Amino acid sequence: WVHANDTSLSRVMGTNKKQGLLVYDLQGKQRQLLESGRLNNVDLRQNLQFAQQTYDLAVATQRDENSLVVFEIAATGEVTESARIATDLDKIYGTCLYQPVTGGLEVFVNDKDGRFQQLRIERSAQGFTGRVVRRFKLDSQPEGCVADDRNARLFLGEETRGVWQASARAESDPALSIILPVGENLKADVEGMAIYAGAKHDYLIVSSQGDSTYLVLDAQAPYRLRGKFRVGINLPAGIDGSSETDGLDVSSVNFGGKFSRGMLVVQDGNKRLPDVPQNFKYVAWSDIARALQL
C-alpha cells in the first residue's frame, strides 16, 4: 500500500495463515495484527470509486469460513476489517484483485480442486458485497495469481503444471493458455506471482518454490524469460536469504533510498539467523535489475 503524500510511510501486508493479517512499515516493523482467522492470500488496490467515495481496499481468503474478508485502508495506513463475503467454494485458497480500466473492483478466487470464481465487488448502504460474474477451472490445484489491470490479462499458477494466462474480462471466454510449464526453469510448486509495472517494460515475477528461485518474464507475449535469481544471505546485516516462498508482491514505486526503483517482498518459508518462524524479506528492485541486466 502506497502512502499518498509520503511513500516512506507506505505499508506491506501479509498473512499469517493461522492467525490473520499482518501490517508492516518499510523498515519491517510490525504495525498491526488483525486476528481475522486463517487467511491464506491477500491482495489490494487503491483509489477505488464506489458511490462517489474513494476507498483503498485489501481482500483476503478466509479458510475457516470459505469466505473473502474485505479490509479498508485509511489514508494513514491503518487497516480495519470491513466485510466478509461468503462463497460456495469448499476449500478456498488463492486470490488476486483486478481493477478494470472502466472502474470498480473484481476478485479472482480459487479452490484447491481447480475451480476459479470471478466476483464483482459492490457497495451499498449495507456495506461491501460481491457477486459471481464468471467461473472457470484448471485440472489441478492452483493458488497464486495476478491481474494485469492495464491489459486486462490474468496470470495464474497451477502448482504442479505451470503458469497460465487468460483474459481478465468477465464477459470473455478465459481462453486459457500455458506460457511457462513446469520443467527446466520452473520447479513445482508454482506459487506467488506479481507484476512489476516499469516505465518501459512490465515484468511478471513468479515464485519457483521447488528450487527456491524467482523467475522474471516479460509480462507481454511471447512472455520471454529474462532470468532467474535467488535471494541470498546478507551477513553484515544479519539477514538470511529466502526459501520455499509462497506469496510475493512487487512495486515499481519510488519508496526512497535503496528502494528508489521499487521493491520486491517475498515470504520466507525457512527463517534463519536466528532460527525462528517464517517471515518476509524486502529486496531492492535495483539489485534484481542489475543481476538480470533488465
Side-chain angles (χ1 to χ4, degrees):
W1 174 84
V2 180
H3 192 283
N5 302 316
D6 185 349
T7 57
S8 69
L9 299 177
S10 300
R11 295 287 186 260
V12 171
M13 297 174 201
T15 66
N16 176 331
K17 292 188 176 185
K18 296 182 178 179
Q19 193 172 23
L21 185 72
L22 295 157
V23 183
Y24 301 93
D25 62 22
L26 292 192
Q27 289 70 49
K29 181 179 179 181
Q30 183 180 315
R31 293 293 183 174
Q32 286 183 265
L33 167 60
L34 290 87
E35 297 195 20
S36 299
R38 294 195 307 139
L39 302 185
N40 195 62
N41 286 175
V42 62
D43 197 7
L44 67 86
R45 289 292 188 274
Q46 298 185 228
N47 301 313
L48 298 161
Q49 298 292 321
F50 291 96
Q52 288 75 55
Q53 293 191 58
T54 302
Y55 297 87
D56 292 354
L57 298 178
V59 178
T61 46
Q62 215 280 10
R63 295 170 72 178
D64 297 311
E65 303 171 352
N66 289 307
S67 67
L68 296 169
V69 184
V70 180
F71 298 93
E72 291 188 40
I73 311 165
T76 59
E78 188 79 8
V79 181
T80 55
E81 184 177 324
S82 178
R84 297 202 177 198
I85 300 171
T87 75
D88 59 5
L89 298 175
D90 299 315
K91 292 183 179 179
I92 199 169
Y93 209 43
T95 191
C96 58
L97 299 184
Y98 169 49
Q99 188 174 358
V101 294
T102 53
L105 180 67
E106 296 178 4
V107 184
F108 291 98
V109 59
N110 58 51
D111 189 290
K112 285 190 173 186
D113 65 5
R115 283 180 291 162
F116 271 80
Q117 294 183 0
Q118 184 171 352
L119 292 87
R120 186 161 293 147
I121 300 299
E122 297 171 337
R123 175 82 182 179
S124 68
Q126 286 71 45
F128 289 104
T129 58
R131 60 183 177 89
V132 177
V133 292
R134 188 171 62 163
R135 302 173 190 261
F136 56 92
K137 192 178 187 300
L138 294 176
D139 290 336
S140 64
Q141 182 172 308
E143 185 178 8
C145 62
V146 64
D148 177 353
D149 295 346
R150 291 187 295 188
N151 296 295
R153 305 307 300 168
L154 175 68
F155 299 97
L156 52 155
E158 189 173 5
E159 291 194 344
T160 61
R161 294 189 64 195
V163 179
W164 298 78
Q165 67 87 28
S167 171
R169 294 186 175 93
E171 66 277 9
S172 300
D173 184 300
L176 288 156
S177 62
I178 197 160
I179 63 170
L180 182 65
V182 165
E184 179 182 357
N185 291 302
L186 180 61
K187 305 298 182 181
D189 287 348
V190 180
E191 293 289 345
M193 54 187 69
I195 293 175
Y196 180 89
K200 296 182 179 180
H201 299 282
D202 292 351
Y203 300 108
L204 174 66
I205 298 88
V206 180
S207 169
S208 175
Q209 191 180 59
D211 61 356
S212 296
T213 65
Y214 308 91
L215 277 62
V216 179
L217 298 80
D218 288 335
Q220 300 285 339
Y223 308 110
R224 180 162 66 99
L225 178 62
R226 292 299 192 106
K228 61 190 296 185
F229 64 93
R230 287 187 170 90
V231 175
I233 189 171
N234 182 348
L235 265 181
I239 302 173
D240 65 316
S242 65
S243 60
E244 296 186 15
T245 290
D246 283 326
L248 57 79
D249 205 355
V250 70
S251 175
S252 60
V253 168
N254 180 355
F255 294 105
K258 58 182 173 290
F259 300 130
S260 61
R261 291 186 63 186
M263 65 187 292
L264 172 72
V265 181
V266 302
Q267 178 264 355
D268 178 15
N270 294 288
K271 172 72 168 69
R272 304 291 185 258
L273 294 176
D275 193 357
V276 295
Q278 57 188 288
N279 68 351
F280 298 91
K281 298 297 194 294
Y282 296 0
V283 183
W285 181 261
S286 57
D287 289 342
I288 299 167
R290 186 180 308 112
L292 300 185
Q293 299 181 339
L294 300 177

